[in-house]
């Protein structure tokens, strides 16, 4: 029998790529082309880009380049990604998971901008949460906790009462830095010591408790 952990929260903060939406195919295409243009090893680039805003990844990979150059190229990359939805699908269990959150406090906290997050959620057939923290909402990319803290503030919930769902190392670090518990989703998450790890969202059950809290049963 599979062991089940139970988490109690007042709000959930949800990453998008790798957590709700499997966009790995397009991310690989776009960033490997970028690596080729700059003479970088594609495998090494892919170790950096998941979870971060594009300009933050560029700053790490091309440390001698100006912030202005990174922001300009990131804008072009975002447009490229937004026009490419081939292979974008929901993470298994995501439709049912989001349906279970209807009427409960939750927010999307993503490093994508508003246009890209809207397009990818639509391509995956997933509803957008009412509260959304996107790249335009913050001054610092994950692993900075700003996005998760803003999400909690918009929902009116203390950070300690939030549970984060994340797939990437930088996202898990951001959730932990925000003082939140983190459930890791997918194969990348297990390397970064979240509070629990699930293969996908079929392994999570959501229940609204009588006291207004959310109970998460995680197998």
């Amino acid at each position: 029998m599979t062991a089940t952990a139970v988490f109690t929260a007042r709000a959930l903060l949800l990453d998008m790529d790798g957590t709700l939406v499997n966009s790995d195919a397009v991310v690989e295409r776009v960033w490997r082309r970028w690596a080729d243009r700059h003479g970088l090893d594609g495998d090494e680039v892919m170790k950096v880009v998941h979870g971060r805003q594009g300009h933050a990844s560029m700053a790490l990979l091309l440390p001698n380049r100006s912030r202005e150059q990174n922001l300009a190229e990131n804008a072009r990359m975002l447009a490229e990604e937004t026009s490419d939805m081939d292979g974008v699908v929901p993470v298994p269990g995501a439709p049912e998971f989001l349906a279970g959150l209807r009427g409960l406090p939750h927010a999307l906290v993503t490093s994508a901008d508003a246009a890209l997050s809207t397009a990818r959620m639509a391509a995956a057939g997933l509803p957008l949460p009412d509260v959304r923290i996107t790249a335009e909402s913050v001054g610092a990319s994950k692993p900075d906790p700003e996005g998760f803290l803003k999400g909690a503030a918009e929902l009116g919930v203390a950070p300690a009462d939030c549970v984060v769902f994340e797939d990437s190392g930088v996202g898990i670090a951001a959730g932990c830095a925000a003082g939140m518990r983190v459930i890791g989703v997918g194969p990348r998450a297990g390397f970064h010591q979240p509070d629990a790890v699930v293969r996908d969202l079929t392994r999570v059950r959501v229940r609204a408790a009588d006291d207004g809290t959310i109970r998460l049963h995680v197998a």
Side-chain angles (χ1 to χ4, degrees), residues 5 10 13-14 31-32 59 64 68 73 97 100 115-117 129 131 138 143 147 165 167 171 173 183 200:
R10 294 198 173 276
L13 302 177
L14 315 173
W31 279 97
R32 285 186 181 276
N64 296 321
E68 289 72 26
E73 190 169 30
F97 175 70
L116 180 57
S117 59
V131 177
V138 298
F165 282 76
D167 74 302
I183 295 174
D200 55 44

Side-chain angles (χ1 to χ4, degrees), residues 89-197:
V89 295
V91 165
E96 297 80 6
F97 175 70
L98 288 172
L101 292 181
R102 195 174 295 120
L104 300 176
H106 66 288
L108 188 72
V109 182
T110 175
S111 294
D113 66 3
L116 180 57
S117 59
T118 300
R120 280 192 178 156
M121 291 289 280
L126 299 176
L128 277 167
D130 292 337
V131 177
R132 300 184 288 277
I133 306 298
T134 62
E136 299 94 334
S137 308
V138 298
S141 174
K142 299 172 185 175
D144 192 283
E146 181 184 0
F148 287 122
L149 292 172
K150 282 197 169 183
E154 288 211 20
L155 293 169
V157 176
D161 290 327
C162 295
V163 168
V164 166
F165 282 76
E166 263 286 359
D167 74 302
S168 70
V170 293
I172 291 166
C176 292
M180 301 171 182
R181 290 155 294 159
V182 182
I183 295 174
V185 180
R188 287 187 287 267
F191 296 103
H192 305 287
Q193 298 183 317
D195 295 280
V197 182

Side-chain angles (χ1 to χ4, degrees), residues 16-17 23-34 37 46 49-55 57-58 73-88 110-113 115-121 123 135:
M16 182 181 70
D17 292 303
S23 57
D24 282 1
V26 63
V27 172
E28 287 268 346
R29 283 195 296 272
V30 169
W31 279 97
R32 285 186 181 276
R33 285 198 297 265
W34 181 88
R37 289 197 298 270
M46 295 313 301
V49 300
H50 289 291
R52 288 185 172 87
Q53 291 187 36
H55 66 84
S57 296
M58 292 172 190
E73 190 169 30
N74 184 53
R76 295 192 292 272
M77 292 275 285
L78 285 169
E80 189 177 349
E81 289 184 87
T82 303
S83 68
D84 184 356
M85 292 295 133
D86 187 23
V88 174
T110 175
S111 294
D113 66 3
L116 180 57
S117 59
T118 300
R120 280 192 178 156
M121 291 289 280

